[in-house]
Amino acid sequence: MIRLEKITKTYQTATGPLQALNSIDVHIQKGVIFGFIGFSGAGKSTLLRSINLLERPDSGSVFIDNEDIAKLPKKELLQRREKIGMIFQHYNLLLNSTVYKNVAFPLEIMRIKKPEIEKRVMKSLEIVDLPEKTDDYPAKLSGGQKQRVAIARAITTEPKILLCDEVTSALDPQTTGTILDYLKKVNKELGITIVLVTHEMEVARTVCDYVGVLENGYLVETLNMTENAVNTPQSKIGRFLFGNGEGI
Ligand SMILES: Nc1ncnc2c1ncn2[C@@H]1O[C@H](COP(=O)(O)OP(=O)(O)OP(=O)(O)O)[C@@H](O)[C@H]1O
Ligand SMILES: [Mg+2]
């Protein structure tokens, strides 16, 4: 469903060029939860943002359902992006808008009619168990509730893919568990393919079917986390994920 081929990205910095991604090849199958794990600066966010071309790679191709979206004209790219939701570490909610307005926002941009917006907003809020919060402002919500609103906003456009950038990093372990449960629910019940990036081993272990290990802009290995999969991890992070590393 998602195929990245030879994705390379170099940033120009004050101290010279910095290669954030080095010829990344990866295939993410429909319906899975695929995680990328790595330390700060490994290139996780850059890679995630290249899936919807918020970050344009210097070279390489991004295929979504066999279509190279890097080759599309702007208008068509924007249309394809409507089918790729995204959530972030700090929720990115509109603070001066109610929960309802936040979730309705992407649909208003798509010029969807009001009754349909209402239907979709309520359906999305029900999935994250927050239908009673429609009139509240984000300031009144806990971190976990804010992230649930962000999930509702992301799924309201009925995306095929959901990109998640460190979406539990600002949350305590218990709330992290709750958010991961909602991500699993969205994956299973709505059939949305999820790509997430995290530096938290526990997150990768709890929800991911596959984990790609990123180190300094290189994808060093991809591990199958599904039950009974046989892996012989080569990287330190990989060995740690399977509980046979000495710690990192
Ligand atoms: N806009 C930019 N300009 C210059 N350098 C950048 C830019 N964005 C990212 N980088 C650099 O590219 C590298 C990869 O960054 P990226 O944000 O993808 O890492 P990350 O794995 O998401 O890190 P973190 O866990 O801290 O979020 C880092 O060295 C970063 O400093
Ligand atoms: Mg990042």
PDB file of all heavy atoms in Angstrom, residues 158-182:
ATOM      1  N   GLU A 158     -12.169  10.092   6.847  1.00  0.00           N
ATOM      2  CA  GLU A 158     -12.151   8.688   6.410  1.00  0.00           C
ATOM      3  C   GLU A 158     -10.874   8.352   5.632  1.00  0.00           C
ATOM      4  O   GLU A 158     -10.913   7.926   4.472  1.00  0.00           O
ATOM      5  CB  GLU A 158     -13.417   8.367   5.592  1.00  0.00           C
ATOM      6  CG  GLU A 158     -14.665   8.613   6.434  1.00  0.00           C
ATOM      7  CD  GLU A 158     -15.980   8.437   5.673  1.00  0.00           C
ATOM      8  OE1 GLU A 158     -15.956   8.398   4.440  1.00  0.00           O
ATOM      9  OE2 GLU A 158     -17.009   8.337   6.348  1.00  0.00           O
ATOM     10  N   PRO A 159      -9.726   8.545   6.301  1.00  0.00           N
ATOM     11  CA  PRO A 159      -8.452   8.287   5.617  1.00  0.00           C
ATOM     12  C   PRO A 159      -8.172   6.795   5.467  1.00  0.00           C
ATOM     13  O   PRO A 159      -8.736   5.974   6.181  1.00  0.00           O
ATOM     14  CB  PRO A 159      -7.425   8.918   6.560  1.00  0.00           C
ATOM     15  CG  PRO A 159      -8.041   8.807   7.913  1.00  0.00           C
ATOM     16  CD  PRO A 159      -9.527   8.943   7.700  1.00  0.00           C
ATOM     17  N   LYS A 160      -7.261   6.497   4.547  1.00  0.00           N
ATOM     18  CA  LYS A 160      -6.794   5.110   4.375  1.00  0.00           C
ATOM     19  C   LYS A 160      -5.595   4.871   5.275  1.00  0.00           C
ATOM     20  O   LYS A 160      -5.277   3.754   5.647  1.00  0.00           O
ATOM     21  CB  LYS A 160      -6.320   4.887   2.931  1.00  0.00           C
ATOM     22  CG  LYS A 160      -7.378   5.079   1.881  1.00  0.00           C
ATOM     23  CD  LYS A 160      -6.845   4.695   0.505  1.00  0.00           C
ATOM     24  CE  LYS A 160      -5.882   5.742  -0.044  1.00  0.00           C
ATOM     25  NZ  LYS A 160      -5.526   5.538  -1.466  1.00  0.00           N
ATOM     26  N   ILE A 161      -4.880   5.997   5.542  1.00  0.00           N
ATOM     27  CA  ILE A 161      -3.612   5.918   6.265  1.00  0.00           C
ATOM     28  C   ILE A 161      -3.633   6.948   7.387  1.00  0.00           C
ATOM     29  O   ILE A 161      -4.136   8.060   7.203  1.00  0.00           O
ATOM     30  CB  ILE A 161      -2.440   6.246   5.300  1.00  0.00           C
ATOM     31  CG1 ILE A 161      -2.386   5.216   4.176  1.00  0.00           C
ATOM     32  CG2 ILE A 161      -1.109   6.307   6.046  1.00  0.00           C
ATOM     33  CD1 ILE A 161      -1.460   5.608   3.031  1.00  0.00           C
ATOM     34  N   LEU A 162      -3.084   6.566   8.535  1.00  0.00           N
ATOM     35  CA  LEU A 162      -2.930   7.520   9.635  1.00  0.00           C
ATOM     36  C   LEU A 162      -1.462   7.575  10.033  1.00  0.00           C
ATOM     37  O   LEU A 162      -0.859   6.553  10.361  1.00  0.00           O
ATOM     38  CB  LEU A 162      -3.797   7.075  10.828  1.00  0.00           C
ATOM     39  CG  LEU A 162      -3.733   7.945  12.085  1.00  0.00           C
ATOM     40  CD1 LEU A 162      -4.233   9.365  11.806  1.00  0.00           C
ATOM     41  CD2 LEU A 162      -4.563   7.318  13.211  1.00  0.00           C
ATOM     42  N   LEU A 163      -0.877   8.774   9.969  1.00  0.00           N
ATOM     43  CA  LEU A 163       0.522   8.968  10.345  1.00  0.00           C
ATOM     44  C   LEU A 163       0.571   9.535  11.761  1.00  0.00           C
ATOM     45  O   LEU A 163      -0.140  10.505  12.063  1.00  0.00           O
ATOM     46  CB  LEU A 163       1.207   9.946   9.379  1.00  0.00           C
ATOM     47  CG  LEU A 163       1.097   9.617   7.885  1.00  0.00           C
ATOM     48  CD1 LEU A 163       1.768  10.715   7.046  1.00  0.00           C
ATOM     49  CD2 LEU A 163       1.719   8.255   7.590  1.00  0.00           C
ATOM     50  N   CYS A 164       1.379   8.951  12.616  1.00  0.00           N
ATOM     51  CA  CYS A 164       1.429   9.365  14.021  1.00  0.00           C
ATOM     52  C   CYS A 164       2.866   9.685  14.413  1.00  0.00           C
ATOM     53  O   CYS A 164       3.735   8.810  14.367  1.00  0.00           O
ATOM     54  CB  CYS A 164       0.940   8.238  14.928  1.00  0.00           C
ATOM     55  SG  CYS A 164      -0.673   7.555  14.504  1.00  0.00           S
ATOM     56  N   ASP A 165       3.112  10.940  14.789  1.00  0.00           N
ATOM     57  CA  ASP A 165       4.475  11.345  15.155  1.00  0.00           C
ATOM     58  C   ASP A 165       4.588  11.523  16.673  1.00  0.00           C
ATOM     59  O   ASP A 165       4.145  12.535  17.211  1.00  0.00           O
ATOM     60  CB  ASP A 165       4.849  12.648  14.431  1.00  0.00           C
ATOM     61  CG  ASP A 165       6.354  12.922  14.516  1.00  0.00           C
ATOM     62  OD1 ASP A 165       7.035  12.291  15.344  1.00  0.00           O
ATOM     63  OD2 ASP A 165       6.842  13.769  13.746  1.00  0.00           O
ATOM     64  N   GLU A 166       5.158  10.555  17.344  1.00  0.00           N
ATOM     65  CA  GLU A 166       5.389  10.611  18.801  1.00  0.00           C
ATOM     66  C   GLU A 166       4.109  10.970  19.549  1.00  0.00           C
ATOM     67  O   GLU A 166       4.135  11.804  20.463  1.00  0.00           O
ATOM     68  CB  GLU A 166       6.478  11.648  19.132  1.00  0.00           C
ATOM     69  CG  GLU A 166       7.824  11.375  18.504  1.00  0.00           C
ATOM     70  CD  GLU A 166       8.674  10.349  19.285  1.00  0.00           C
ATOM     71  OE1 GLU A 166       8.163   9.747  20.246  1.00  0.00           O
ATOM     72  OE2 GLU A 166       9.840  10.153  18.884  1.00  0.00           O
ATOM     73  N   VAL A 167       3.016  10.314  19.216  1.00  0.00           N
ATOM     74  CA  VAL A 167       1.718  10.753  19.730  1.00  0.00           C
ATOM     75  C   VAL A 167       1.487  10.420  21.199  1.00  0.00           C
ATOM     76  O   VAL A 167       0.507  10.867  21.787  1.00  0.00           O
ATOM     77  CB  VAL A 167       0.553  10.207  18.880  1.00  0.00           C
ATOM     78  CG1 VAL A 167       0.610  10.769  17.476  1.00  0.00           C
ATOM     79  CG2 VAL A 167       0.535   8.679  18.854  1.00  0.00           C
ATOM     80  N   THR A 168       2.387   9.645  21.802  1.00  0.00           N
ATOM     81  CA  THR A 168       2.211   9.345  23.229  1.00  0.00           C
ATOM     82  C   THR A 168       3.349   9.924  24.069  1.00  0.00           C
ATOM     83  O   THR A 168       3.388   9.723  25.269  1.00  0.00           O
ATOM     84  CB  THR A 168       2.152   7.813  23.471  1.00  0.00           C
ATOM     85  OG1 THR A 168       3.337   7.219  22.927  1.00  0.00           O
ATOM     86  CG2 THR A 168       0.934   7.200  22.816  1.00  0.00           C
ATOM     87  N   SER A 169       4.257  10.639  23.427  1.00  0.00           N
ATOM     88  CA  SER A 169       5.468  11.067  24.138  1.00  0.00           C
ATOM     89  C   SER A 169       5.210  12.094  25.241  1.00  0.00           C
ATOM     90  O   SER A 169       6.038  12.261  26.130  1.00  0.00           O
ATOM     91  CB  SER A 169       6.491  11.623  23.155  1.00  0.00           C
ATOM     92  OG  SER A 169       6.831  10.619  22.238  1.00  0.00           O
ATOM     93  N   ALA A 170       4.062  12.791  25.158  1.00  0.00           N
ATOM     94  CA  ALA A 170       3.782  13.787  26.198  1.00  0.00           C
ATOM     95  C   ALA A 170       2.850  13.210  27.273  1.00  0.00           C
ATOM     96  O   ALA A 170       2.367  13.940  28.132  1.00  0.00           O
ATOM     97  CB  ALA A 170       3.154  15.025  25.557  1.00  0.00           C
ATOM     98  N   LEU A 171       2.608  11.893  27.222  1.00  0.00           N
ATOM     99  CA  LEU A 171       1.592  11.303  28.104  1.00  0.00           C
ATOM    100  C   LEU A 171       2.201  10.329  29.110  1.00  0.00           C
ATOM    101  O   LEU A 171       3.240   9.721  28.843  1.00  0.00           O
ATOM    102  CB  LEU A 171       0.546  10.566  27.251  1.00  0.00           C
ATOM    103  CG  LEU A 171      -0.130  11.420  26.161  1.00  0.00           C
ATOM    104  CD1 LEU A 171      -1.003  10.543  25.276  1.00  0.00           C
ATOM    105  CD2 LEU A 171      -0.955  12.535  26.793  1.00  0.00           C
ATOM    106  N   ASP A 172       1.521  10.163  30.254  1.00  0.00           N
ATOM    107  CA  ASP A 172       2.001   9.188  31.247  1.00  0.00           C
ATOM    108  C   ASP A 172       1.724   7.763  30.728  1.00  0.00           C
ATOM    109  O   ASP A 172       0.958   7.593  29.779  1.00  0.00           O
ATOM    110  CB  ASP A 172       1.321   9.437  32.600  1.00  0.00           C
ATOM    111  CG  ASP A 172      -0.178   9.255  32.519  1.00  0.00           C
ATOM    112  OD1 ASP A 172      -0.634   8.151  32.146  1.00  0.00           O
ATOM    113  OD2 ASP A 172      -0.910  10.220  32.796  1.00  0.00           O
ATOM    114  N   PRO A 173       2.350   6.755  31.350  1.00  0.00           N
ATOM    115  CA  PRO A 173       2.234   5.393  30.812  1.00  0.00           C
ATOM    116  C   PRO A 173       0.789   4.886  30.702  1.00  0.00           C
ATOM    117  O   PRO A 173       0.440   4.227  29.721  1.00  0.00           O
ATOM    118  CB  PRO A 173       3.023   4.552  31.819  1.00  0.00           C
ATOM    119  CG  PRO A 173       3.995   5.507  32.421  1.00  0.00           C
ATOM    120  CD  PRO A 173       3.321   6.838  32.456  1.00  0.00           C
ATOM    121  N   GLN A 174      -0.033   5.214  31.688  1.00  0.00           N
ATOM    122  CA  GLN A 174      -1.411   4.709  31.641  1.00  0.00           C
ATOM    123  C   GLN A 174      -2.191   5.344  30.484  1.00  0.00           C
ATOM    124  O   GLN A 174      -2.888   4.659  29.728  1.00  0.00           O
ATOM    125  CB  GLN A 174      -2.102   5.020  32.969  1.00  0.00           C
ATOM    126  CG  GLN A 174      -3.377   4.217  33.137  1.00  0.00           C
ATOM    127  CD  GLN A 174      -4.168   4.659  34.348  1.00  0.00           C
ATOM    128  OE1 GLN A 174      -3.631   5.255  35.282  1.00  0.00           O
ATOM    129  NE2 GLN A 174      -5.458   4.390  34.318  1.00  0.00           N
ATOM    130  N   THR A 175      -2.035   6.663  30.331  1.00  0.00           N
ATOM    131  CA  THR A 175      -2.725   7.358  29.238  1.00  0.00           C
ATOM    132  C   THR A 175      -2.162   6.902  27.892  1.00  0.00           C
ATOM    133  O   THR A 175      -2.900   6.774  26.913  1.00  0.00           O
ATOM    134  CB  THR A 175      -2.569   8.890  29.397  1.00  0.00           C
ATOM    135  OG1 THR A 175      -2.865   9.219  30.745  1.00  0.00           O
ATOM    136  CG2 THR A 175      -3.494   9.642  28.480  1.00  0.00           C
ATOM    137  N   THR A 176      -0.867   6.638  27.858  1.00  0.00           N
ATOM    138  CA  THR A 176      -0.253   6.093  26.646  1.00  0.00           C
ATOM    139  C   THR A 176      -0.968   4.812  26.241  1.00  0.00           C
ATOM    140  O   THR A 176      -1.339   4.630  25.077  1.00  0.00           O
ATOM    141  CB  THR A 176       1.248   5.806  26.890  1.00  0.00           C
ATOM    142  OG1 THR A 176       1.915   7.051  27.046  1.00  0.00           O
ATOM    143  CG2 THR A 176       1.877   5.042  25.729  1.00  0.00           C
ATOM    144  N   GLY A 177      -1.211   3.948  27.230  1.00  0.00           N
ATOM    145  CA  GLY A 177      -1.916   2.685  26.960  1.00  0.00           C
ATOM    146  C   GLY A 177      -3.288   2.928  26.366  1.00  0.00           C
ATOM    147  O   GLY A 177      -3.702   2.252  25.411  1.00  0.00           O
ATOM    148  N   THR A 178      -4.002   3.913  26.910  1.00  0.00           N
ATOM    149  CA  THR A 178      -5.345   4.230  26.404  1.00  0.00           C
ATOM    150  C   THR A 178      -5.280   4.681  24.951  1.00  0.00           C
ATOM    151  O   THR A 178      -6.048   4.224  24.106  1.00  0.00           O
ATOM    152  CB  THR A 178      -5.978   5.374  27.244  1.00  0.00           C
ATOM    153  OG1 THR A 178      -5.852   5.024  28.608  1.00  0.00           O
ATOM    154  CG2 THR A 178      -7.425   5.595  26.882  1.00  0.00           C
ATOM    155  N   ILE A 179      -4.341   5.586  24.660  1.00  0.00           N
ATOM    156  CA  ILE A 179      -4.223   6.098  23.285  1.00  0.00           C
ATOM    157  C   ILE A 179      -3.858   4.965  22.332  1.00  0.00           C
ATOM    158  O   ILE A 179      -4.419   4.846  21.223  1.00  0.00           O
ATOM    159  CB  ILE A 179      -3.184   7.250  23.217  1.00  0.00           C
ATOM    160  CG1 ILE A 179      -3.692   8.466  23.994  1.00  0.00           C
ATOM    161  CG2 ILE A 179      -2.861   7.631  21.759  1.00  0.00           C
ATOM    162  CD1 ILE A 179      -5.009   9.047  23.511  1.00  0.00           C
ATOM    163  N   LEU A 180      -2.953   4.081  22.763  1.00  0.00           N
ATOM    164  CA  LEU A 180      -2.571   2.960  21.893  1.00  0.00           C
ATOM    165  C   LEU A 180      -3.769   2.048  21.649  1.00  0.00           C
ATOM    166  O   LEU A 180      -3.943   1.517  20.543  1.00  0.00           O
ATOM    167  CB  LEU A 180      -1.393   2.188  22.497  1.00  0.00           C
ATOM    168  CG  LEU A 180      -0.088   2.977  22.635  1.00  0.00           C
ATOM    169  CD1 LEU A 180       1.004   2.105  23.237  1.00  0.00           C
ATOM    170  CD2 LEU A 180       0.366   3.554  21.294  1.00  0.00           C
ATOM    171  N   ASP A 181      -4.621   1.886  22.669  1.00  0.00           N
ATOM    172  CA  ASP A 181      -5.837   1.079  22.470  1.00  0.00           C
ATOM    173  C   ASP A 181      -6.738   1.704  21.400  1.00  0.00           C
ATOM    174  O   ASP A 181      -7.310   0.994  20.578  1.00  0.00           O
ATOM    175  CB  ASP A 181      -6.618   0.947  23.788  1.00  0.00           C
ATOM    176  CG  ASP A 181      -5.951  -0.041  24.734  1.00  0.00           C
ATOM    177  OD1 ASP A 181      -5.118  -0.847  24.270  1.00  0.00           O
ATOM    178  OD2 ASP A 181      -6.256   0.008  25.948  1.00  0.00           O
ATOM    179  N   TYR A 182      -6.861   3.035  21.430  1.00  0.00           N
ATOM    180  CA  TYR A 182      -7.695   3.685  20.400  1.00  0.00           C
ATOM    181  C   TYR A 182      -7.060   3.545  19.015  1.00  0.00           C
ATOM    182  O   TYR A 182      -7.767   3.370  18.026  1.00  0.00           O
ATOM    183  CB  TYR A 182      -7.939   5.162  20.736  1.00  0.00           C
ATOM    184  CG  TYR A 182      -8.993   5.319  21.803  1.00  0.00           C
ATOM    185  CD1 TYR A 182      -8.686   5.791  23.074  1.00  0.00           C
ATOM    186  CD2 TYR A 182     -10.322   4.973  21.550  1.00  0.00           C
ATOM    187  CE1 TYR A 182      -9.643   5.914  24.065  1.00  0.00           C
ATOM    188  CE2 TYR A 182     -11.298   5.095  22.530  1.00  0.00           C
ATOM    189  CZ  TYR A 182     -10.948   5.566  23.785  1.00  0.00           C
ATOM    190  OH  TYR A 182     -11.913   5.668  24.746  1.00  0.00           O
TER     191      TYR A 182
END
